[in-house]
Amino acid sequence: MQKDPVDVLIIGAGASGAAVAFSLAETRMKIVCLEQGDWTNPAQYPSTGRDWEARHFGDFNINPNKRRARADYPINVTDSPISVANFNGVGGGTVLYAGHFPRFHPSDFRVKSLDGVAEDWPIDYDFLEPYYNQNDRMMGVSGLSGDPAYPPKQSSMPPLPLGKSGQTLARGFNKLGWHWWPSDSAIASQEYDGRPGCVNLGACTSGCAEGAKASTDITYWPAAIRAGVELRTGCRVREITVDKKGRATGVIYYDEAGTEQVLKAHVVVLACNGVGTPRLLLNSRSESFPDGLANTSGLVGRNLMFHPYASIQGIFDEEQDGYRGPGNCIWSQEFYETDASRGFVRGYTYEIVRGRGPVATAIAGMLSGRVAWGADHHAQIRSMFNRVTGMVAICEDLPEEHNTVTLDPILKDADGIPAPKINYTLSENSRKMLSHAVSRATELLITAGARDVMTEAPIGAGGWHLMGTARMGTDPEKSVVNEWGRSHDVRNLFIVDGSIFVTSAGVNPTRTIQALALYVADSMKKRLDNLFD
Amino acid sequence: MTELISTDNATNGILSKDLLAGLRVVVGLMIPESHEYQVPGADDEKIFNDIAGSIGDEAEILKRGLDNLEELAQEAFNCRLVNAASEDLPGLMATFKSADREFIKALTSLVASCYYRDDRVMKSLGMERRPPFPNGFEVEQGDWSLLDPVRARGKLYRDVTASEKNDT
């Protein structure tokens, strides 16, 4: 185990922590990452058992308040219509994510200039593109070049199969003349960098037992560890410590046995996601920082963005893919860029969800009244089983200061550390966008041949994306970190997770989170001689 | 009806044997046996033991709902749920379904999770009786020429002009 002090201490081993650790490893600095969870064992992922669907409600629940593993911390979401989804362990959210892997668009970095809302990012698409490319090589991206909704970009592998569901919906999109394209996916469609290709297990969101899905425990981390990074699991950081000059000196954490430990570091990098990072900063109060570390702007924990999601699923007479195959399939960005005639600014992506298993079909059927209790149950479930396909709409969420992560005055985790509390309200813009997304998707599904449509908006359990709570910018009064991820207040403190997002775009954030982490790491490497100036 | 296997351990003793007997009546109403589809009901001994053994964290919610159902049965029929006439039960359940959504949601998830992993039920649905891993499933590539009209449509993303850029 590395002796104190270390050169770089990274907190969190998820999407961004893994990327920054890998990138910094080439400096040969002493790097330690503390992760509150453990390694997962793919041999024990749900798809290896007959109870694979049931475990979505148990130990692989996306909701930490229901999963309640030792590594999880509770989150008070009583004042939010959307609950937080996460995973605490090596790989973080990438263990449970679907693997949808879109990039931001050029316009996503310029929402104020283009649409007069929120703030522009201090960087743009062209600037970030080399880091997207670097990340793509590490994670492996299945897709198809030529998507007219994006500037030219390459994929590492062919796209995932269209399948029955993809073809059904593609025909619907074509009838309406709407955009669609094979999704960029972090699921390998063929062998890639030692990982096997996808065999269509269909249980991507509870860990990929095959290893085809690029979670960072099997992509970045093995490479980072080979390069000398030390990863300590079961270590929950309580607070970041500072000296009298206001510099970070390290952390106090609880090890696996619950014993308090101190780790000194010259540089601290936060990679705890858009809820975990502000929670830790707010828990790191000191004489120098009475309102929480790096918080002289007062913006730590503010501007929380989820992506409000809608689910729109059609029931077809013809058989679809059902439980077979990855959820990733095709997407549509017909309604992505701003069109004032729609009554809202910005837009959303449709991501096709291939189908569902028998348990999910039965639950949705019974709870929506489409599948009866009693003798009719069997005929009605068979009219839905393997016949449901549709989409989710992932709506851009604009930053609003009243959407916050704060510290709950009562709730604490297993180590006694104050838990986060979420206060979140859907904006009028988001409501209009969700309504538009449901209406247009219903039109699409009917056009594609659906005989019935089921909708949910917003998806209450769908707080997968946690962004904006320590945003980046050049103005210290309007941002928490500068344009290369360093705290304005604490010159040896960096943040690399979704907290630093200025806006959310209308796509999944992981690819951008990782590109940003690589960019921040690169910025640090280029400034090693004067990193703290 | 066969004797229930004790499930005290699974529910940490929260559900009494009487409540479990009531639960078995309820799940049998939800998904009854079908000769047409050659499937057992959810009250089948093997399936119900799976249900009772899988209650876990939802035990308190289920106990509350089952207690309320027993009260309703007492008021309506002056007997326990398990002793009520089978033709009377659907009406009682219909009333109750809209009264306690949390209970119905927990009950539905529990019953569906266990029922639809039973060998006989999976066979009836045309599924192979195995977990997804390691064999996976076949998914057809599909007709990629469907993309031709999308390609023909041309660029969709929004340009950002030089004046709107503000690079680091």
Side-chain angles (χ1 to χ4, degrees):
Chain A
M1 189 173 283
Q2 183 63 53
K3 302 263 185 195
D4 292 350
V6 299
D7 293 316
V8 180
L9 167 59
I10 300 166
I11 308 169
S16 61
V20 78
F22 167 78
S23 181
L24 290 176
E26 69 171 346
T27 63
R28 316 310 294 176
M29 291 190 290
K30 295 171 185 172
I31 302 171
V32 171
C33 178
L34 299 181
E35 164 56 50
Q36 63 192 324
D38 203 347
W39 292 90
T40 49
N41 179 358
Q44 293 172 353
Y45 283 161
S47 65
T48 61
R50 291 281 290 276
D51 57 352
W52 65 275
E53 283 194 274
R55 288 178 69 189
H56 281 293
F57 307 112
D59 58 339
F60 277 78
N61 200 309
I62 57 172
N63 184 336
N65 292 341
K66 293 184 176 173
R67 192 173 56 233
R68 293 189 293 187
R70 171 68 180 82
D72 293 320
Y73 53 89
I75 302 175
N76 183 342
V77 290
T78 51
D79 289 318
S80 172
I82 297 172
S83 59
V84 172
N86 69 13
F87 186 74
N88 296 303
V90 179
T94 63
V95 174
L96 298 190
Y97 76 159
H100 266 120
F101 220 54
R103 294 183 179 190
F104 274 27
H105 303 69
S107 68
D108 293 325
F109 296 90
R110 290 288 172 272
V111 300
K112 186 168 188 180
S113 297
L114 294 172
D115 297 315
V117 292
E119 295 288 339
D120 287 346
W121 287 60
I123 56 174
D124 67 11
Y125 182 90
D126 292 339
F127 184 83
L128 205 56
E129 189 175 22
Y131 301 102
Y132 273 130
N133 293 339
Q134 184 186 353
N135 187 58
D136 289 357
R137 285 192 294 276
M138 285 300 293
M139 297 290 277
V141 181
S142 299
L144 184 66
S145 299
D147 187 345
Y150 275 98
K153 55 183 168 56
Q154 299 298 314
S155 297
S156 324
M157 290 164 276
L160 295 165
L162 276 175
K164 291 182 171 68
S165 299
Q167 291 179 100
T168 295
L169 298 178
R171 290 190 184 99
F173 283 119
N174 284 352
K175 279 183 189 170
L176 293 171
W178 291 359
H179 166 266
W180 67 275
W181 201 259
S183 300
D184 284 355
S185 174
I187 296 168
S189 59
Q190 60 190 33
E191 189 176 331
Y192 183 81
D193 199 22
R195 287 160 41 210
C198 176
V199 293
N200 304 310
L201 299 178
C204 313
T205 53
S206 51
C208 179
E210 181 71 7
K213 188 178 77 174
S215 48
T216 60
D217 55 327
I218 60 169
T219 57
Y220 276 107
W221 273 116
I225 290 168
R226 275 198 305 274
V229 177
E230 183 191 343
L231 173 54
R232 297 182 194 173
T233 57
C235 298
R236 177 178 277 141
V237 175
R238 186 183 78 196
E239 65 180 279
I240 299 166
T241 51
V242 293
D243 61 19
K244 287 180 180 173
K245 293 177 183 171
R247 290 274 182 89
T249 56
V251 298
I252 300 170
Y253 71 96
Y254 296 102
D255 66 16
E256 212 160 10
T259 306
E260 186 178 304
Q261 303 281 359
V262 173
L263 182 60
K264 299 286 183 190
H266 298 303
V267 173
V268 175
V269 181
L270 275 162
C272 310
N273 80 41
V275 170
T277 284
R279 176 201 184 201
L280 182 50
L281 290 172
L282 294 172
N283 270 320
S284 302
R285 295 171 197 269
S286 63
E287 208 171 289
S288 304
F289 299 99
D291 298 321
L293 190 60
N295 195 24
T296 57
S297 66
L299 291 176
V300 169
R302 294 190 179 274
N303 295 306
L304 172 67
M305 295 174 282
F306 292 119
H307 282 124
Y309 266 82
S311 169
I312 314 99
Q313 308 296 323
I315 306 172
F316 293 78
D317 289 329
E318 301 76 27
E319 182 155 310
Q320 307 298 320
D321 291 328
Y323 58 95
R324 297 157 295 207
N328 291 193
C329 184
I330 63 176
W331 63 34
S332 171
Q333 297 191 324
E334 180 66 25
F335 304 106
Y336 194 84
E337 304 283 4
T338 295
D339 179 341
S341 71
R342 296 178 196 141
F344 54 86
V345 291
R346 309 302 299 156
Y348 57 87
T349 301
Y350 285 134
E351 291 179 338
I352 276 42
V353 179
R354 206 176 283 273
R356 4 174 109 152
V359 172
T361 304
I363 292 170
M366 286 197 278
L367 291 179
S368 69
R370 289 173 173 84
V371 173
W373 287 17
D376 291 339
H377 177 92
H378 301 287
Q380 290 174 351
I381 192 76
R382 281 159 181 77
S383 75
M384 283 182 71
F385 178 59
N386 284 346
R387 285 167 172 75
V388 174
T389 189
M391 62 203 71
V392 292
I394 166 171
C395 297
E396 175 155 357
D397 198 3
L398 292 168
E400 297 177 285
E401 283 198 18
H402 60 84
N403 289 330
T404 59
V405 177
T406 56
L407 296 178
D408 192 279
I410 298 166
L411 199 61
K412 292 181 171 58
D413 67 22
D415 290 307
I417 305 170
K421 177 176 190 329
I422 308 298
N423 281 79
Y424 179 88
T425 309
L426 271 178
S427 69
E428 192 58 26
N429 196 65
S430 291
R431 288 183 188 283
K432 288 177 178 173
M433 204 183 305
L434 284 166
S435 174
H436 187 274
V438 169
S439 298
R440 296 282 70 78
T442 301
E443 179 185 352
L444 178 278
L445 290 169
I446 298 296
T447 301
R451 60 178 150 82
D452 191 7
V453 176
M454 302 180 284
T455 67
E456 180 187 6
I459 300 177
W464 291 283
H465 306 151
L466 314 168
M467 302 161 287
T469 48
R471 71 181 180 194
M472 69 186 329
T474 53
D475 184 347
E477 291 187 359
K478 295 168 78 174
S479 54
V480 175
V481 297
N482 71 8
E483 65 275 20
W484 47 282
R486 190 181 72 180
S487 160
H488 289 299
D489 299 344
V490 185
R491 288 175 173 249
N492 62 340
L493 177 69
F494 294 80
I495 305 177
V496 294
D497 57 57
S499 306
I500 64 175
F501 277 32
V502 180
T503 55
S504 71
V507 294
N508 313 58
T510 302
R511 202 173 182 181
T512 302
I513 288 172
Q514 293 183 304
L516 283 168
L518 293 174
Y519 157 56
V520 172
D522 207 36
S523 301
M524 294 169 72
K525 287 186 284 190
K526 287 174 178 169
R527 293 172 170 90
L528 280 181
D529 291 339
N530 55 354
L531 189 60
F532 309 136
D533 291 348
Chain B
M1 190 176 281
T2 52
E3 187 64 27
L4 288 168
I5 289 174
S6 171
T7 55
D8 282 357
N9 289 341
T11 67
N12 295 320
I14 292 170
L15 295 191
S16 65
K17 283 200 171 184
D18 281 347
L19 283 184
L20 283 169
L23 176 62
R24 191 170 186 180
V25 170
V26 172
V27 303
L29 284 171
M30 292 171 74
I31 310 181
E33 180 183 18
S34 168
H35 296 293
E36 182 183 359
Y37 294 102
Q38 297 185 328
V39 287
D43 57 350
D44 167 83
E45 183 171 5
K46 180 168 176 271
I47 295 173
F48 186 72
N49 279 332
D50 188 10
I51 290 171
S54 303
I55 288 171
D57 289 349
E58 309 290 13
E60 290 286 359
I61 295 169
L62 291 171
K63 179 179 184 304
R64 182 190 70 209
L66 290 166
D67 278 339
N68 290 339
L69 261 175
E70 288 290 358
E71 273 181 35
L72 279 178
Q74 282 292 344
E75 285 171 18
F77 315 124
N78 201 28
C79 67
R80 295 191 63 83
L81 206 55
V82 75
N83 297 323
S86 57
E87 62 269 23
D88 289 336
L89 288 171
L92 181 76
M93 289 307 303
T95 308
F96 190 72
K97 270 173 83 172
S98 56
D100 189 343
R101 253 336 250 182
E102 191 180 23
F103 168 70
I104 295 299
K105 206 173 164 185
L107 178 67
T108 302
S109 294
L110 174 67
V111 173
S113 294
C114 297
Y115 185 79
Y116 284 101
R117 66 185 180 214
D118 180 83
D119 276 355
R120 296 159 290 177
V121 178
M122 289 176 77
K123 183 183 176 190
S124 173
L125 287 172
M127 298 177 73
E128 294 176 69
R129 287 158 281 168
R130 63 170 175 86
F133 184 83
N135 292 341
F137 303 101
E138 286 297 318
V139 175
E140 62 191 85
Q141 270 299 314
D143 177 8
W144 288 106
S145 72
L146 285 165
L147 268 177
D148 291 347
V150 189
R151 286 195 169 96
R153 189 175 157 189
K155 173 176 165 289
L156 198 65
Y157 68 93
R158 196 171 173 189
D159 277 323
V160 177
T161 63
S163 63
E164 288 157 348
K165 285 190 174 185
N166 179 29
D167 287 6
T168 303

